[in-house]
Amino acid sequence: MKEFVFNFTSNNINKFSLGSEVYNLLTTALIFDQSVTLILSLKEDSLNKNSLLFLSKVVNFPGEFRLVSKKNITNYQFNFLGIELLTSEEIENVIAKADYCVNC
């Protein structure tokens, strides 16, 4: 199984809209039973339930899918998606172990 990591640094959530390149890459990896980690490298004010609703359709795909964000985030209203809070070093390790990593 290949490990795909998408480091989402953009505040442009349209990159995950149906048919967009990033959405297609992410869903293709999941459909082919690959491991996918999406790192939410967003500013804390961007991490709220309304702005992250676009991810709810991705979370329901079959396959090993993991959502990760930095541990220093204090806004917990987005936990409905099961986001793991990791330190910067842990996030760097996730990226280092990946077979494929893209900043988007």
Side-chain angles (χ1 to χ4, degrees), residues 4-24:
F4 289 79
V5 172
F6 296 88
N7 189 10
F8 187 49
T9 58
S10 170
N11 285 321
N12 181 3
I13 61 172
N14 290 329
K15 290 186 176 194
F16 286 98
S17 61
L18 188 63
S20 72
E21 184 178 337
V22 173
Y23 179 83
N24 289 342

Side-chain angles (χ1 to χ4, degrees), residues 34-73:
Q34 303 303 310
S35 175
V36 174
T37 300
L38 176 58
I39 301 170
L40 298 172
S41 299
L42 302 172
K43 295 180 179 151
E44 186 169 350
D45 58 348
S46 299
L47 288 171
N48 63 64
K49 190 171 182 173
N50 292 331
S51 68
L52 296 178
L53 280 176
F54 71 96
L55 288 173
S56 61
K57 62 184 172 194
V58 177
V59 171
N60 294 321
F61 269 83
E64 188 177 326
F65 183 63
R66 183 177 174 199
L67 286 170
V68 171
S69 189
K70 287 189 179 174
K71 201 171 206 166
N72 62 346
I73 298 297

Side-chain angles (χ1 to χ4, degrees), residues 26 46 79 87 101:
L26 193 147
S46 299
N79 279 345
T87 64
C101 182

